[in-house]
Structures are given as structure tokens and as C-alpha cells.
């Protein structure tokens, strides 16, 4: 009966027709840009800025130096690499990947620069104290000279046999010449910069007259030009407006500069060459305080922070070209700071070592760039172009790498773990790229349920299968959350165009999972007949006028309230049944709404094919009682027939009460001019929420029951009205239950 009544009173429901999202739709993940590829592992693979993968240049580890950092390198005639290292003052010869030897251990902790002389000997700049040592061809070490400086950052040899030294931390340029076994040193220029980091001798007149020197400054980042014939007339040819010019590189188009503006978190962070941790600063501090520090030695912390308070704008690192006419333009703004070193790239352009992950970038003169090496070192501090190969010195593991000028015959790219969000079934792998004659691409797959690609909880790599554009490869038929692919690119040496990967797409399908319904609420807020507020025995902020009598129970006289209704009424409640629902597959859902009385066994359908998560219900003709509501969510429309899933939830007990309470046993006992009023208020379903009275249609006042609490469906009331005037008296009682239904009764008596 209730089912039929509720069905008749429901508003007309319009079925909203829409194309549902289908859980069984095939999904895919596409790797097609630099950001996606950069999350993978690049082994001999170059990643271009426009999102292509091509074989990079062959590289291998020559060997370790046994020190934290390699400041500078020279290649010896034997092919061994002589390394100036820090922070233990060791001069190391790296012979091969397994062999290295310490040639000498010096008193100064930092060996910052090397210079190969024409007779085969090598000069070594040591800091602090700016001592220059000479290593003979017989490995005999002697002290060559000492300069009035703290650091020797770069040395160069001109055509006349002069040695030029760029120093810090007072930014001085020295010219050194050995005559008859004695070294003569001349301070050529005391610059405005704190440190002179690099220098280059223009032997051919690339951007000016041949024989001029160009010196890179730090704090401020100025490029100085020095004429050895007139050293007193030094000029600034470029103001970088950056904190430093770190490195100089001559090219056919002009002079390329590496600019850095850094903002280190602590004064000890390495501003000049890299951001090293506190261990570097501690070593420098210990060296500056050591008894072996020569007179004139400086605290290395001077170099780790700008010497002067200057503003260089936002942190940035850039590669800038100063062309042959003297004009400058930015070739590249680095995504990773700072830029440590420059070298000429194979086939033209610039190699730039940047950032703190051991990455090497190739920049073309038109501004395009590619990530050509990801060596997983913290810093690539020095690059040396020997003509036949590149030598790369790294920190903080002090490793020397060798890189070829030829692209690798085999390059491997391992993708990031691709997340299906839940265990899914993996399907086809589509690969797009360029494959020429003598080139091929092969792919392997593995799957797992751990997002850690280094975990041993993954499957083994599948066997290699060849892929070509528009010819998909089938992935292993497994159900797993993650998948990974490993692509091998092969080509013959001297290929005019390298084999190239443009993008890849992996397809998968996830299982249908059931929807979820929760938090069913039945609300009457804002509806006609909403529940009244519970009265308080001490409501109101101001004292109420004292009525003719005070209640005998319930405390002090109550505050004045609204005038009570004059007639009984029923409360036709409008309920809003609402719920929360979702689907892990993002399927479109439909709902059924059911109800059942407390004493009933079967659920009755109110409405189905609902698309909203709320439904209004009017209960004017519904029998009083306690009910529960049930919501069933289904994703059947989003799945093939028979594959839909459901979920249901049941509400807490809901009271439907359209009947006012009963005011019973209402009596007035008169004693002189005092009347004692007593009564019982009870309700079949709800709690008694409020009782008020008025005398002779005057102001109404709330009442509390004899026990002082309105907390039951049956309450007894008793109160006195003293000092009444003689004559007829009318007391009106209004009682309201918790669902807003109100009953009104009156009692008439006479005071003699």
C-alpha cells in the first residue's frame, strides 16, 4: 500500500539519455614528447627538444681518480689522462678503467688547473695559496712559482711562450715567463670581478685582432679583452648581467659563453663551479686554517659566495654567442642549472654540461638542443676536446668518461614504468619512427605490480622482437598494473641520418569494477514543517516578563517566546533522499531507490533508472513509522550485456511522523488564587520536542517536564500559576513532536 502511494506522489522522472562511458573501452598511453622520454633511462640515446630519440655518441668510463672531483685534465702522449683533483690535493693519472695511480699528493687540497707545455711537462695550479707546480716528463714535481692570489682557475700558453693565469678571489690576471730557470710574474690586470674563471687567446683574430686575450669574470660576470702589447688598456667587451661567465668556447660563428646566476641556500654552497655539500666547505675551512697553507692563502669560502652584494636578477643559466661583429644572442636557456663546462660538438654546435645530474646537452646555433648524455653523476665539471675524443671529468665520484665523435652503433632506451592505475591486460605496442637502410629497432617488454622499476618483483624481459612503423608488436598477455618497454636502436657506422624514434603507444584494457554507493542521508532541512529547535531552560539573552505564575518544575521562569498555534495541525513532510556514488572506471551509473518499514520483510521499489544522486519524497499519505531506504547503483549501461556490476547501500532508520502528539490528563487544581496545571504529553513515534503554554491568550512560555529533560516520547508536566485575578481563566497548551507535528488543547477554570 505504501509503495503504491509513494509511487503516485513522486514527480514525473525524465530519463536522461546520454552516451555512457564504457569500462570496456581500450585505453592507451602515449610517449611522444621530451617530458615523457626524459622520465626513462637514456643509455647512448640522445633526446631532442622536439621529442625524438636518436643514438647518441659512444661513451665509456675511462677510470676513477679516487677523489671527489676532477677540476681539470690533460691527455698525455701515452693516452693516459692526468687529473687535477680535489679535495685531497692529489694529482692522479688515469690509465684505464681499472688502473689509476697517484702521481703526487700536494699540501693544498684543491688542484684547480693544468697546462701542458711544449716540452711535455705540465703546470699544476694549487689552492689555496695559488702555488704553481711543474711535473716533468720523468714525473718529478717541483715548485714553479707562487702568485699573490688564492686560486688559479685557468692557465693558457701564448705563441710567445708566455703563461697566462686567471686567478681569484681578487680577480687578477698574471703573465708568467721562465727565463734562465727563473719565473718572472707580472700582474697585468686587477679586475673588478671577484674571480677570473676562464681565458682564451684569439690566435686567428676570430672576433678581433689576433693575439688578444679574452677573460671571463665572476661577480660581476664581465668579459674582459686584454691586449698583451698594451695591458694597461683592458676593456670590457661584454657585460652578461649575470653573476658569472663560467666558460669560453671559440666557434666558427664567434665566441660562446656560459652564463650563470645562482642563488645558493647557504654561503658554503659552491657558487663558482658547482653546488657541493657542507663537506666541501669543511675541507676548505680546514685547509685555510692548516699550518701548511702558504702565506697569502685565502679561505675558500670566499669563492663559494659572491664577494659583493649585487643583484643579478632571477637565477638562470644560458649559452650566449658573441658573434664576430660583437653582437650577442642567447642560443639556449638551460633547464638545469648551472652550466659547468663547454666544448665544440661533433658536426657543429656546442656541448654544455649542466645541472646536478651529470647531463650533457648539444645546442645548435639555431637554438635547438638535445640531451646527449645522462651519466648519472652529480656534476660534469670539465670537458676536454682532444681532437679524437672528448674527456669528461665528473664529481662527486671523480670519474673520467670518454665520449666518441661518432654516434653509437647501438642505443638503448628503457621507458618509465607506465601505470595502468589498476591491474590491466596489456595489448599492442605501436612504434613510429624513421628506419633507413642498415638500421633496425627492436623492443622488449616486462610487467609488474610494483612502481619501483629497480625492484626484483617484475617479470623478466621478453625476447626481442623487431618493430617497424605502423606494424604493432604484441605485448605479453599478462594482467599487471605496470608495464615497461626497452627499445634498442641499431645502425651502421657513418649513417647519414640516424635511426629515430618519434613516439610509442601502449594499449591496455582494465576490468570492470563495481560502483560504490555510500552515505545515504534523508534530510528535511528547509522543507515545510521542518523540525523545531529544542527549547532551552535558559534561552534568550534578556530577562522575560514574569508570568502570573512560575512553573513548579523546570527551573527559573522561562523566557518569552513566540505565540503558540491555536489549532492542531499535521506535518506533511517533504524528504530529500540523497547519496554519494562513484565508479572506479568512471562509468555512467543509474540508480534504484527502495524502502522498507521497520516491521516489514520485503523492500518496495520507489523509483528506478535515476541518474541524479538525490530524490524528493512527499509523505502526506504515508503511515507513521520507522523506515529504511536502499539505493542500488548499476553500471550496466556502460558495459556489454551481462557484464554490468551493482552495489547497494542502506540508510539509517528514518522516522516518518505525520501525527501530532497527544496532550492527555490535562487538569487544573485551584487553591485560592493559585492554579496547579498538570498533564501528560505523548507521541506514538517521535520524541516530544517542545511544549508551551499561555494564559488568557497572552505571551507564551516554554515548559520543561517534571524530570527537567525533553528526551522521551512520553513526558509529564506540572506547573503552578499563582496570584491569579478572580474570574474565568484559560490556559492553552501547544505540544510539538520532533518531526514538527503540533497539538493544541486548552483548559478553562475559575478563580473565586
Amino acid at each position: 500500500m505504501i509503495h503504491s502511494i509513494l509511487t503516485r506522489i513522486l514527480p514525473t522522472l525524465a530519463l536522461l539519455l546520454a552516451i555512457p562511458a564504457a569500462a570496456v573501452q581500450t585505453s592507451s598511453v602515449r610517449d611522444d614528447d621530451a617530458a615523457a622520454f626524459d622520465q626513462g633511462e637514456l643509455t647512448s640515446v640522445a633526446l631532442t627538444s622536439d621529442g625524438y630519440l636518436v643514438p647518441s655518441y659512444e661513451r665509456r668510463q675511462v677510470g676513477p681518480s679516487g677523489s671527489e672531483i676532477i677540476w681539470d685534465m690533460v691527455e698525455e702522449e701515452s693516452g693516459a689522462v692526468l687529473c687535477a683533483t680535489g679535495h685531497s690535493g692529489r694529482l692522479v693519472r688515469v690509465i684505464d678503467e681499472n688502473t689509476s695511480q697517484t702521481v703526487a699528493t700536494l699540501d693544498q687540497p684543491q688542484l684547480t688547473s693544468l697546462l701542458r707545455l711544449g716540452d711535455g711537462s705540465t703546470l699544476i695550479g694549487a689552492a689555496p695559496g695559488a702555488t704553481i707546480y711543474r711535473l716533468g716528463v720523468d714525473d718529478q714535481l717541483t715548485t714553479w712559482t707562487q702568485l699573490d692570489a688564492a686560486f688559479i682557475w685557468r692557465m693558457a700558453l701564448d705563441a710567445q711562450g708566455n703563461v697566462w693565469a686567471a686567478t681569484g678571489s681578487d680577480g687578477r690576471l698574471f703573465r708568467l715567463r721562465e727565463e734562465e730557470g727563473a719565473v718572472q710574474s707580472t700582474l697585468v690586470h686587477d679586475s673588478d670581478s671577484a674571480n677570473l674563471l676562464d681565458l682564451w687567446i684569439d690566435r686567428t683574430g676570430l672576433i678581433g685582432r689576433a693575439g688578444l686575450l679574452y677573460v671571463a669574470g665572476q661577480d660581476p660576470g664581465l668579459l674582459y679583452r686584454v691586449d698583451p702589447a698594451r695591458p694597461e688598456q683592458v676593456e670590457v667587451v661584454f657585460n652578461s648581467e649575470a653573476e658569472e661567465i663560467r666558460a669560453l668556447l671559440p666557434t666558427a660563428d664567434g665566441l660562446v659563453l656560459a652564463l650563470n646566476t645562482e642563488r645558493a641556500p647557504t654561503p658554503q654552497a659552491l657558487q663558482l663551479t658547482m653546488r657541493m655539500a657542507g663537506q666541501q666547505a669543511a675541507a676548505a675551512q680546514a685547509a685555510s686554517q692548516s699550518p701548511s697553507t702558504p702565506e697569502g692563502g685565502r679561505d675558500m669560502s670566499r669563492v663559494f659566495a659572491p664577494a659583493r652584494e649585487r643583484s643579478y636578477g632571477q637565477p638562470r643559466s644560458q649559452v650566449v654567442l658573441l658573434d664576430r661583429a660583437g653582437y650577442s644572442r642567447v642560443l639556449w636557456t638551460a633547464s638545469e642549472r648551472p652550466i659547468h663546462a663547454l666544448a665544440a660538438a661533433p658536426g657543429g654546435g656546442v656541448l654544455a654540461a649542466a645541472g646536478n645530474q651529470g647531463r650533457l646537452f648539444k645546442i645548435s646555433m639555431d637554438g635547438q638542443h638535445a640531451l646527449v648524455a645522462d651519466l648519472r653523476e652529480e656534476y660534469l665539471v670539465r670537458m676536454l676536446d682532444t681532437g679524437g675524443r672528448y674527456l669528461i671529468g665528473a664529481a662527486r665520484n671523480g670519474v673520467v668518461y670518454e665520449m666518441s665523435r661518432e654516434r653509437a652503433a647501438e642505443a638503448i632506451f628503457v621507458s618509465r614504468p607506465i601505470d595502468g592505475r589498476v591491474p590491466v591486460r596489456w595489448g599492442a605496442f605501436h612504434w613510429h619512427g624513421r628506419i633507413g637502410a642498415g638500421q633496425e629497432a627492436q623492443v622488449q617488454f616486462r610487467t609488474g605490480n610494483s612502481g619501483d622499476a629497480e625492484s626484483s618483483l617484475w617479470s623478466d624481459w621478453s625476447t626481442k622482437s623487431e618493430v617497424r612503423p605502423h606494424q604493432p608488436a604484441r605485448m605479453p598477455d599478462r594482467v599487471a598494473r605496470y608495464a615497461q618497454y626497452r627499445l634498442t636502436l641499431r645502425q651502421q657506422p657513418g649513417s647519414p641520418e640516424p635511426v629515430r624514434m618519434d613516439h610509442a603507444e601502449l594499449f591496455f584494457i582494465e576490468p570492470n569494477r563495481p560502483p560504490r554507493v555510500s552515505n545515504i542521508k534523508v534530510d528535511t532541512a528547509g522543507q515545510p514543517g521542518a523540525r523545531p529547535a529544542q527549547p532551552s531552560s535558559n534561552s534568550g539573552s534578556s530577562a522575560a516578563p514574569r508570568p502570573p505564575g512560575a512553573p513548579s518544575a523546570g527551573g527559573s521562569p522561562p523566557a518569552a517566546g513566540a505565540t503558540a498555534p491555536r489549532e492542531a495541525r499535521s506535518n506533511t513532510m517533504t524528504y530529500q533522499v540523497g547519496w554519494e556514488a562513484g565508479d572506479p572506471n568512471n562509468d555512467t551509473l543509474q540508480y534504484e531507490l527502495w524502502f522498507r518499514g521497520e516491521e516489514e520483510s520485503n523492500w518496495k521499489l520507489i523509483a528506478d533508472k535515476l541518474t541524479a544522486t538525490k530524490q524528493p519524497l512527499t509523505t502526506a499519505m504515508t503511515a507513521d513509522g520507522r523506515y529504511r531506504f536502499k539505493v542500488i547503483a548499476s553500471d550496466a549501461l556502460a558495459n556489454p550485456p551481462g557484464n554490468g556490476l551493482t552495489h547497494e547501500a542502506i540508510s539509517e532508520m528514518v522516522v516518518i511522523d505525520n501525527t501530532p502528539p497527544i496532550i492527555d490528563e490535562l487538569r487544573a487544581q485551584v487553591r485560592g488564587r493559585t492554579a496547579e496545571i498538570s498533564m501528560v504529553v505523548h507521541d506514538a513515534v517521535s520524541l516530544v520536542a517542545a511544549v508551551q503554554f499561555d494564559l488568557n491568550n497572552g505571551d507564551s512560555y516554554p515548559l520543561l517536564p517534571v524530570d527537567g529533560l525533553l528526551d522521551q516520547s512520553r513526558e509529564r508536566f506540572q506547573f503552578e500559576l499563582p496570584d491569579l485575578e478572580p474570574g474565568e481563566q484559560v490556559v492553552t497548551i501547544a505540544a510539538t513532536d520532533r518531526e514538527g507535528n503540533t497539538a493544541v488543547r486548552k483548559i478553562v477554570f475559575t478563580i473565586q
Side-chain angles (χ1 to χ4, degrees), residues 66 89 123 177 186 204 207 234 258 311 335 346 355 366 387 411 536 583 601 606 653 731 748:
L123 298 182
R177 187 171 184 86
T186 303
T204 62
I207 58 173
V234 175
S311 175
S335 56
D366 61 1
S536 169
D583 189 271
S601 301
I606 298 175
M653 193 69 72
V731 174
V748 181

Side-chain angles (χ1 to χ4, degrees), residues 282-293:
Q285 184 69 21
S288 68
Q289 298 174 355
S290 171
S292 62
T293 301

Side-chain angles (χ1 to χ4, degrees), residues 443-498:
V443 68
Q444 298 168 272
F445 306 100
R446 67 173 187 160
T447 57
N449 289 297
S450 168
D452 181 8
E454 304 298 325
S455 168
S456 61
L457 304 177
W458 285 64
S459 68
D460 294 332
W461 286 103
S462 64
T463 57
K464 293 182 179 179
S465 59
E466 186 175 357
V467 289
R468 301 191 68 83
H470 312 295
Q471 295 181 6
R474 178 62 58 178
M475 298 175 65
D477 188 10
R478 299 192 186 101
V479 174
R481 174 170 173 171
Y482 297 95
Q484 204 173 18
Y485 65 92
R486 180 164 64 188
L487 185 72
T488 302
L489 303 176
R490 290 195 177 93
Q491 61 183 18
Q492 294 179 354
S495 295
E497 291 288 345

Side-chain angles (χ1 to χ4, degrees), residues 200-218:
W200 167 65
I201 302 174
D202 188 355
R203 301 181 186 278
T204 62
L206 177 66
I207 58 173
R209 185 165 48 84
L212 300 181
L213 276 73
Y214 293 83
V215 186
Q218 183 248 2

Side-chain angles (χ1 to χ4, degrees), residues 566 677 693-698 721 724 727-733 745-750:
R566 289 292 172 261
I677 310 300
F693 81 97
D694 70 64
L695 178 64
N696 298 325
N697 204 30
L721 297 173
L724 298 176
E728 184 179 81
Q729 308 290 331
V730 179
V731 174
T732 304
I733 305 295
R745 281 190 64 184
K746 69 179 180 179
I747 185 169
V748 181
F749 56 91
T750 301

Side-chain angles (χ1 to χ4, degrees), residues 241-301:
E241 298 183 352
E243 186 176 322
E244 66 179 21
I245 301 176
R246 177 73 60 91
L248 303 176
L249 175 68
T251 69
D253 299 283
L255 186 61
V256 175
L257 303 85
L259 312 183
N260 294 308
T261 293
E262 287 291 280
R263 290 291 179 266
T266 64
Q268 288 74 28
L270 200 60
Q271 292 281 336
L272 181 60
T273 54
M274 66 191 64
R275 292 196 207 181
M276 302 292 281
Q279 184 177 357
Q280 164 86 2
Q285 184 69 21
S288 68
Q289 298 174 355
S290 171
S292 62
T293 301
E295 184 177 355
R298 312 294 172 86
D299 183 351
M300 286 192 69
S301 63

